[in-house]
Amino acid sequence: MATHPSTPEPPTGAESTPEPPTPRPTRTHTSRAHSFNTAAAQYAANRPSYPPALFDAIEALADHPLPGSRVADIGAGTGIATALLRARGANVIAVEPGDGMAAQFRSTLPGIPIIRGTGDDLPLADASVDLVTYAQAWHWTDPARSVPEALRVLRPGGALALWWNTDALDVPWIAEAAARTERHFGIDVAAEKRNVNARAADPTGRLDFTRRTVRWSRRVPVDTHLANIGSHSVFLIDDEGHTAAFLAEEREHLLKAFPDGIVEEVYEVVLFLAKTPARRTPA
């Protein structure tokens, strides 16, 4: 996937496209997109899930129940969102471009079909699904291509849902950790979160997005938290020693904040949902 000038910077909790102040390994859009395939098991084991309230919001905004719906989960990765959609009763098909991620998906979710493809060229028939979802994945697409592709495969009255787990930067320890990440990797975490907006999601202006935010948290061991942040592409493609040094220092900071070794990660899931017209407009 090529880098596109109109592609928005990913939010915190998704992936970043930083330009660090000191020379680091080349961080191209393509290299970061492919980096997950070498860490698929780490990703599956440690990334956060999504709260039930998110799927309640999707059903409410789409005005359509998930049970029985035909859903295409694009950029499905290891299947974190796919499994939750299936658990809500949806008939889900996953689309994933990466070898490693698809292999991990198949090993953990053998009963859910997965096909290879990208959001810029969906391997799906016209008007074939009720809902198209992107969990932590829309920022890897070119909206000039992925928007019309989503509209093509959606049935009349269907919906496109995009969401990201973003760090709750109003929590003091999370803000402090973000500041350390900024210093170490040259990433403006707060700016990335500000870039989660409808205009960035759809520069074409063809979609009328409604936004919802769902706050939630999880309690995990320090090792799980470190493995989670280490599974983000900016860490995966960086120099191994540079990343290891950061994670070692971060462990010390975290154990001071959480002496029992259990970290409470706090997230805000940012959801954008746009419905299609109930009837197709004749060409």
Side-chain angles (χ1 to χ4, degrees):
M1 179 181 318
T3 302
H4 302 277
S6 63
T7 301
E9 293 289 333
T12 306
E15 305 304 328
S16 57
T17 313
E19 289 296 336
T22 56
R24 309 270 359 126
T26 302
R27 295 172 176 177
T28 67
H29 200 71
T30 300
S31 67
R32 288 181 19 258
H34 292 169
S35 67
F36 302 111
N37 292 300
T38 62
Q42 177 182 347
Y43 189 111
N46 301 289
R47 282 291 183 105
S49 184
Y50 305 102
L54 168 67
F55 300 96
D56 294 342
I58 290 171
E59 288 184 311
L61 294 176
D63 194 24
H64 195 286
L66 283 171
S69 293
R70 175 77 169 167
V71 179
D73 188 29
I74 316 301
T78 62
I80 295 173
T82 315
L84 294 171
L85 288 162
R86 169 62 71 88
R88 295 285 292 229
N91 179 13
V92 191
I93 184 168
V95 177
E96 167 57 39
D99 292 337
M101 299 294 262
Q104 181 69 36
F105 183 107
R106 291 190 182 100
S107 71
T108 56
L109 299 170
I112 299 180
I114 181 170
I115 54 178
R116 304 299 294 281
T118 73
D120 294 342
D121 186 16
L122 291 173
L124 301 170
D126 294 359
S128 59
V129 296
D130 301 303
L131 179 66
V132 172
T133 61
Y134 282 82
Q136 314 288 131
W138 183 254
H139 53 278
W140 297 122
T141 75
D142 172 11
R145 298 174 63 187
S146 56
V147 168
E149 276 294 271
L151 293 174
R152 177 183 65 80
V153 304
L154 282 168
R155 293 170 178 164
L160 169 65
L162 325 173
W163 67 85
W164 293 266
N165 264 326
T166 69
D167 294 330
L169 295 174
D170 60 318
V171 176
W173 83 263
I174 294 177
E176 292 166 5
R180 292 192 294 269
T181 302
E182 290 175 5
R183 290 194 298 270
H184 207 83
F185 291 95
I187 302 168
D188 186 345
V189 175
E192 290 166 12
K193 187 166 185 178
R194 289 194 299 271
N195 284 334
V196 188
N197 59 70
R199 183 173 181 179
D202 176 27
T204 72
R206 296 181 64 180
L207 300 174
D208 184 14
F209 280 117
T210 299
R211 173 175 175 148
R212 291 288 186 274
T213 301
V214 178
R215 193 176 179 98
W216 74 287
S217 66
R218 68 170 187 167
R219 291 173 56 81
V220 296
V222 167
D223 285 346
T224 299
H225 174 75
L226 292 172
N228 167 29
I229 62 176
S231 72
H232 286 75
S233 65
V234 67
F235 294 88
L236 294 174
I237 70 166
D238 207 289
D239 175 78
E240 186 175 344
H242 187 249
T243 294
F246 172 80
L247 293 176
E249 293 175 7
E250 195 63 14
R251 176 188 294 277
E252 295 181 7
H253 288 293
L254 290 168
L255 288 175
K256 290 178 181 177
F258 301 97
D260 64 351
I262 302 298
V263 177
E264 183 174 12
E265 300 174 343
V266 185
Y267 296 99
E268 290 182 342
V269 186
V270 180
L271 166 68
F272 287 98
L273 188 141
K275 295 184 63 176
T276 63
R279 294 185 179 179
R280 299 284 185 186
T281 302

